[in-house]
Amino acid sequence: MTGNAGRFFASALIYAVLGMMLGLFMGMTQDHSQMPTHAHFVLIGWVTFAIYGFFYHAFPSAAVNRLANAHFWMAEISLVVLLAGLFAIFGGKPDLGEPFAAIGSIGILLSMILFAFIAWPIVRS
Ligand code: HEM
Ligand code: HEM
């Protein structure tokens, strides 16, 4: 894997390990209050970003342009911001976390729309 394919998949591996550690911590402490944080850690960070990585690996021409770079950075930054917000909200600081969760959510959605824009012509051709 090279370029944006490898970068997305490498980041997915990191989110998988961190998200599972959070799940294990929740299980060990019997405190499941961070469940939404854990769910989005693994489902966006691990599953969705791994799919992005595989897509760019399967269709390398889609991975080597400015749109794909923008997609990578928008998705990565938005997820970190979203997770920070979720941590704060479900850690008992909703006023602090909500603006981060709102901005991160919008960024995650926009990054998916950008990905749809990149992937659509390829999957329809
Ligand atoms: C070491 C691995 C993992 C551990 C120890 C773990 C642990 C947990 C725990 C303790 C909960 C809370 C359950 C509850 O309160 O009902 C949970 C929920 C959840 N986990 Fe994990 N998890 C792991 C890996 C994963 C992975 C790999 C995924 C998805 C790719 C995942 C997706 C979810 C989801 C979606 C929920 C929320 C379920 C719901 O809404 O009821 N987890 N996990
Ligand atoms: C713009 C991005 C997203 C936003 C704003 C968002 C928002 C939310 C919200 C508000 C909840 C309810 C949490 C609660 O009841 O405490 C939720 C739950 C959930 N979301 Fe998302 N979500 C997003 C993306 C995704 C994606 C991409 C996936 C899967 C690939 C996903 C999977 C889930 C699951 C499994 C739950 C239930 C987990 C739980 O009960 O904690 N979400 N989401």
Side-chain angles (χ1 to χ4, degrees):
M1 275 187 174
T2 53
N4 285 314
R7 291 203 287 178
F8 259 127
F9 204 85
S11 73
L13 293 172
I14 295 168
Y15 290 118
V17 172
L18 294 178
M20 287 185 188
M21 284 168 71
L22 176 59
L24 193 60
F25 180 77
M26 286 168 13
M28 286 163 67
T29 56
Q30 301 276 299
D31 176 357
H32 295 183
S33 53
Q34 290 289 353
M35 185 169 82
T37 317
H38 163 73
H40 293 88
F41 227 118
V42 286
L43 286 174
I44 302 180
W46 169 225
V47 181
T48 307
F49 284 14
I51 292 170
Y52 289 156
F54 274 129
F55 181 88
Y56 287 125
H57 183 62
F59 303 102
S61 64
V64 287
N65 56 49
R66 285 208 192 126
L67 272 187
N69 290 343
H71 173 226
F72 175 79
W73 286 111
M74 191 188 290
E76 296 287 344
I77 293 168
S78 301
L79 182 57
V80 171
V81 172
L82 172 63
L83 292 177
L86 290 175
F87 258 120
I89 290 171
F90 295 101
K93 293 198 166 40
D95 292 347
L96 175 68
E98 269 159 18
F100 286 91
I103 291 167
S105 298
I106 292 166
I108 287 287
L109 175 62
L110 289 177
S111 67
M112 179 55 84
I113 293 171
L114 185 54
F115 178 63
F117 188 74
I118 292 167
W120 193 262
I122 293 168
V123 295
R124 299 302 298 156
S125 66

